[in-house]
PDB file of all heavy atoms in Angstrom:
ATOM      1  N   LEU V 241      89.224 116.345 116.121  1.00 92.00           N
ATOM      2  CA  LEU V 241      89.488 114.941 115.704  1.00 92.00           C
ATOM      3  C   LEU V 241      90.355 114.230 116.711  1.00 92.00           C
ATOM      4  O   LEU V 241      91.298 114.878 117.200  1.00 92.00           O
ATOM      5  CB  LEU V 241      90.127 115.025 114.334  1.00 92.00           C
ATOM      6  CG  LEU V 241      89.758 113.910 113.359  1.00 92.00           C
ATOM      7  CD1 LEU V 241      88.331 113.894 112.991  1.00 92.00           C
ATOM      8  CD2 LEU V 241      90.493 114.151 112.056  1.00 92.00           C
ATOM      9  N   THR V 242      90.174 112.926 116.958  1.00 91.00           N
ATOM     10  CA  THR V 242      91.035 112.193 117.944  1.00 91.00           C
ATOM     11  C   THR V 242      92.530 112.242 117.308  1.00 91.00           C
ATOM     12  O   THR V 242      92.658 111.942 116.169  1.00 91.00           O
ATOM     13  CB  THR V 242      90.551 110.786 118.009  1.00 91.00           C
ATOM     14  OG1 THR V 242      89.132 110.749 118.351  1.00 91.00           O
ATOM     15  CG2 THR V 242      91.270 110.064 119.129  1.00 91.00           C
ATOM     16  N   GLY V 243      93.418 112.570 118.148  1.00 89.00           N
ATOM     17  CA  GLY V 243      94.815 112.563 117.773  1.00 89.00           C
ATOM     18  C   GLY V 243      95.350 113.840 117.334  1.00 89.00           C
ATOM     19  O   GLY V 243      96.549 114.069 117.200  1.00 89.00           O
ATOM     20  N   VAL V 244      94.425 114.846 116.997  1.00 91.00           N
ATOM     21  CA  VAL V 244      94.959 116.128 116.704  1.00 91.00           C
ATOM     22  C   VAL V 244      95.077 116.981 118.014  1.00 91.00           C
ATOM     23  O   VAL V 244      94.332 117.096 118.785  1.00 91.00           O
ATOM     24  CB  VAL V 244      93.834 116.824 115.748  1.00 91.00           C
ATOM     25  CG1 VAL V 244      94.227 118.306 115.542  1.00 91.00           C
ATOM     26  CG2 VAL V 244      93.698 116.159 114.403  1.00 91.00           C
ATOM     27  N   VAL V 245      96.295 117.505 118.029  1.00 86.00           N
ATOM     28  CA  VAL V 245      96.779 118.212 119.237  1.00 86.00           C
ATOM     29  C   VAL V 245      96.403 119.679 119.104  1.00 86.00           C
ATOM     30  O   VAL V 245      95.840 120.297 120.060  1.00 86.00           O
ATOM     31  CB  VAL V 245      98.257 118.138 119.425  1.00 86.00           C
ATOM     32  CG1 VAL V 245      98.785 118.955 120.703  1.00 86.00           C
ATOM     33  CG2 VAL V 245      98.549 116.626 119.597  1.00 86.00           C
ATOM     34  N   SER V 246      96.673 120.317 117.940  1.00 86.00           N
ATOM     35  CA  SER V 246      96.209 121.744 117.726  1.00 86.00           C
ATOM     36  C   SER V 246      96.184 122.021 116.271  1.00 86.00           C
ATOM     37  O   SER V 246      96.790 121.276 115.367  1.00 86.00           O
ATOM     38  CB  SER V 246      97.196 122.652 118.450  1.00 86.00           C
ATOM     39  OG  SER V 246      98.496 122.557 117.689  1.00 86.00           O
ATOM     40  N   LEU V 247      95.504 123.042 115.981  1.00 91.00           N
ATOM     41  CA  LEU V 247      95.306 123.520 114.518  1.00 91.00           C
ATOM     42  C   LEU V 247      95.551 124.960 114.526  1.00 91.00           C
ATOM     43  O   LEU V 247      94.882 125.751 115.251  1.00 91.00           O
ATOM     44  CB  LEU V 247      93.946 123.082 114.075  1.00 91.00           C
ATOM     45  CG  LEU V 247      93.738 123.366 112.496  1.00 91.00           C
ATOM     46  CD1 LEU V 247      92.780 122.253 111.975  1.00 91.00           C
ATOM     47  CD2 LEU V 247      93.197 124.607 112.276  1.00 91.00           C
ATOM     48  N   THR V 248      96.422 125.507 113.608  1.00 89.00           N
ATOM     49  CA  THR V 248      96.583 126.852 113.508  1.00 89.00           C
ATOM     50  C   THR V 248      96.350 127.230 111.986  1.00 89.00           C
ATOM     51  O   THR V 248      96.898 126.367 111.130  1.00 89.00           O
ATOM     52  CB  THR V 248      97.835 127.466 114.027  1.00 89.00           C
ATOM     53  OG1 THR V 248      98.931 126.507 113.676  1.00 89.00           O
ATOM     54  CG2 THR V 248      97.812 127.712 115.456  1.00 89.00           C
ATOM     55  N   LYS V 249      95.866 128.356 111.629  1.00 88.00           N
ATOM     56  CA  LYS V 249      95.675 128.739 110.298  1.00 88.00           C
ATOM     57  C   LYS V 249      96.447 130.029 109.949  1.00 88.00           C
ATOM     58  O   LYS V 249      96.454 130.923 110.776  1.00 88.00           O
ATOM     59  CB  LYS V 249      94.083 129.042 110.215  1.00 88.00           C
ATOM     60  CG  LYS V 249      93.629 129.142 108.802  1.00 88.00           C
ATOM     61  CD  LYS V 249      92.057 129.426 108.738  1.00 88.00           C
ATOM     62  CE  LYS V 249      91.811 130.048 107.465  1.00 88.00           C
ATOM     63  NZ  LYS V 249      90.570 130.820 107.560  1.00 88.00           N
ATOM     64  N   SER V 250      97.224 129.976 108.897  1.00 86.00           N
ATOM     65  CA  SER V 250      97.899 131.199 108.522  1.00 86.00           C
ATOM     66  C   SER V 250      98.020 131.258 106.988  1.00 86.00           C
ATOM     67  O   SER V 250      98.386 130.225 106.317  1.00 86.00           O
ATOM     68  CB  SER V 250      99.188 131.193 109.171  1.00 86.00           C
ATOM     69  OG  SER V 250     100.089 130.087 108.595  1.00 86.00           O
ATOM     70  N   GLU V 251      97.722 132.410 106.481  1.00 83.00           N
ATOM     71  CA  GLU V 251      97.894 132.725 105.038  1.00 83.00           C
ATOM     72  C   GLU V 251      97.564 131.445 104.138  1.00 83.00           C
ATOM     73  O   GLU V 251      98.327 131.086 103.324  1.00 83.00           O
ATOM     74  CB  GLU V 251      99.245 133.206 104.695  1.00 83.00           C
ATOM     75  CG  GLU V 251      99.351 134.557 105.268  1.00 83.00           C
ATOM     76  CD  GLU V 251     100.752 135.031 104.874  1.00 83.00           C
ATOM     77  OE1 GLU V 251     101.357 134.829 103.918  1.00 83.00           O
ATOM     78  OE2 GLU V 251     101.316 135.843 105.870  1.00 83.00           O
ATOM     79  N   GLY V 252      96.337 130.979 104.123  1.00 84.00           N
ATOM     80  CA  GLY V 252      96.017 129.973 103.327  1.00 84.00           C
ATOM     81  C   GLY V 252      96.522 128.545 103.638  1.00 84.00           C
ATOM     82  O   GLY V 252      96.301 127.579 102.888  1.00 84.00           O
ATOM     83  N   SER V 253      97.208 128.401 104.655  1.00 90.00           N
ATOM     84  CA  SER V 253      97.764 127.059 104.925  1.00 90.00           C
ATOM     85  C   SER V 253      97.393 126.744 106.470  1.00 90.00           C
ATOM     86  O   SER V 253      97.169 127.590 107.245  1.00 90.00           O
ATOM     87  CB  SER V 253      99.272 127.036 104.751  1.00 90.00           C
ATOM     88  OG  SER V 253      99.888 127.292 105.896  1.00 90.00           O
ATOM     89  N   LEU V 254      97.250 125.365 106.635  1.00 92.00           N
ATOM     90  CA  LEU V 254      96.835 124.840 107.999  1.00 92.00           C
ATOM     91  C   LEU V 254      98.009 124.110 108.590  1.00 92.00           C
ATOM     92  O   LEU V 254      98.635 123.326 107.942  1.00 92.00           O
ATOM     93  CB  LEU V 254      95.642 123.923 107.848  1.00 92.00           C
ATOM     94  CG  LEU V 254      94.419 124.526 107.029  1.00 92.00           C
ATOM     95  CD1 LEU V 254      93.338 123.310 106.871  1.00 92.00           C
ATOM     96  CD2 LEU V 254      93.767 125.667 107.846  1.00 92.00           C
ATOM     97  N   THR V 255      98.324 124.404 109.766  1.00 89.00           N
ATOM     98  CA  THR V 255      99.329 123.677 110.505  1.00 89.00           C
ATOM     99  C   THR V 255      98.582 122.856 111.560  1.00 89.00           C
ATOM    100  O   THR V 255      98.047 123.260 112.561  1.00 89.00           O
ATOM    101  CB  THR V 255     100.312 124.648 111.207  1.00 89.00           C
ATOM    102  OG1 THR V 255     100.837 125.524 110.237  1.00 89.00           O
ATOM    103  CG2 THR V 255     101.519 123.904 111.860  1.00 89.00           C
ATOM    104  N   VAL V 256      98.691 121.456 111.392  1.00 90.00           N
ATOM    105  CA  VAL V 256      98.055 120.578 112.239  1.00 90.00           C
ATOM    106  C   VAL V 256      99.044 119.730 113.035  1.00 90.00           C
ATOM    107  O   VAL V 256      99.752 118.848 112.430  1.00 90.00           O
ATOM    108  CB  VAL V 256      97.076 119.672 111.442  1.00 90.00           C
ATOM    109  CG1 VAL V 256      96.269 118.719 112.302  1.00 90.00           C
ATOM    110  CG2 VAL V 256      96.205 120.428 110.532  1.00 90.00           C
ATOM    111  N   LYS V 257      99.111 119.930 114.335  1.00 85.00           N
ATOM    112  CA  LYS V 257     100.009 119.200 115.148  1.00 85.00           C
ATOM    113  C   LYS V 257      99.247 117.943 115.661  1.00 85.00           C
ATOM    114  O   LYS V 257      98.051 118.038 116.005  1.00 85.00           O
ATOM    115  CB  LYS V 257     100.348 120.018 116.390  1.00 85.00           C
ATOM    116  CG  LYS V 257     101.856 119.967 116.789  1.00 85.00           C
ATOM    117  CD  LYS V 257     101.992 120.919 117.877  1.00 85.00           C
ATOM    118  CE  LYS V 257     103.532 121.146 118.125  1.00 85.00           C
ATOM    119  NZ  LYS V 257     103.837 122.139 119.106  1.00 85.00           N
ATOM    120  N   VAL V 258      99.935 116.838 115.400  1.00 86.00           N
ATOM    121  CA  VAL V 258      99.177 115.586 115.802  1.00 86.00           C
ATOM    122  C   VAL V 258     100.047 114.770 116.801  1.00 86.00           C
ATOM    123  O   VAL V 258     101.230 114.964 116.921  1.00 86.00           O
ATOM    124  CB  VAL V 258      98.858 114.739 114.512  1.00 86.00           C
ATOM    125  CG1 VAL V 258      97.846 115.410 113.635  1.00 86.00           C
ATOM    126  CG2 VAL V 258     100.236 114.425 113.675  1.00 86.00           C
ATOM    127  N   ALA V 259      99.357 113.676 117.341  1.00 82.00           N
ATOM    128  CA  ALA V 259     100.016 112.885 118.377  1.00 82.00           C
ATOM    129  C   ALA V 259     101.181 112.062 117.716  1.00 82.00           C
ATOM    130  O   ALA V 259     102.262 111.898 118.320  1.00 82.00           O
ATOM    131  CB  ALA V 259      99.079 112.030 119.112  1.00 82.00           C
ATOM    132  N   ASP V 260     100.916 111.503 116.628  1.00 80.00           N
ATOM    133  CA  ASP V 260     101.854 110.673 115.848  1.00 80.00           C
ATOM    134  C   ASP V 260     101.389 110.534 114.360  1.00 80.00           C
ATOM    135  O   ASP V 260     100.262 110.976 114.089  1.00 80.00           O
ATOM    136  CB  ASP V 260     102.107 109.338 116.500  1.00 80.00           C
ATOM    137  CG  ASP V 260     100.847 108.451 116.438  1.00 80.00           C
ATOM    138  OD1 ASP V 260     100.461 108.027 115.340  1.00 80.00           O
ATOM    139  OD2 ASP V 260     100.384 108.252 117.575  1.00 80.00           O
ATOM    140  N   ASN V 261     102.353 110.065 113.596  1.00 78.00           N
ATOM    141  CA  ASN V 261     102.090 109.981 112.075  1.00 78.00           C
ATOM    142  C   ASN V 261     100.862 109.273 111.619  1.00 78.00           C
ATOM    143  O   ASN V 261     100.304 109.651 110.617  1.00 78.00           O
ATOM    144  CB  ASN V 261     103.293 109.366 111.426  1.00 78.00           C
ATOM    145  CG  ASN V 261     104.567 110.020 111.699  1.00 78.00           C
ATOM    146  OD1 ASN V 261     104.668 111.080 112.319  1.00 78.00           O
ATOM    147  ND2 ASN V 261     105.715 109.435 111.258  1.00 78.00           N
TER     148      ASN V 261
END
Side-chain angles (χ1 to χ4, degrees):
L241 214 64
T242 311
V244 172
V245 178
S246 69
L247 185 150
T248 39
K249 197 179 153 202
S250 65
E251 290 179 36
S253 90
L254 307 172
T255 303
V256 184
K257 221 178 198 173
V258 293
D260 61 71
N261 301 355

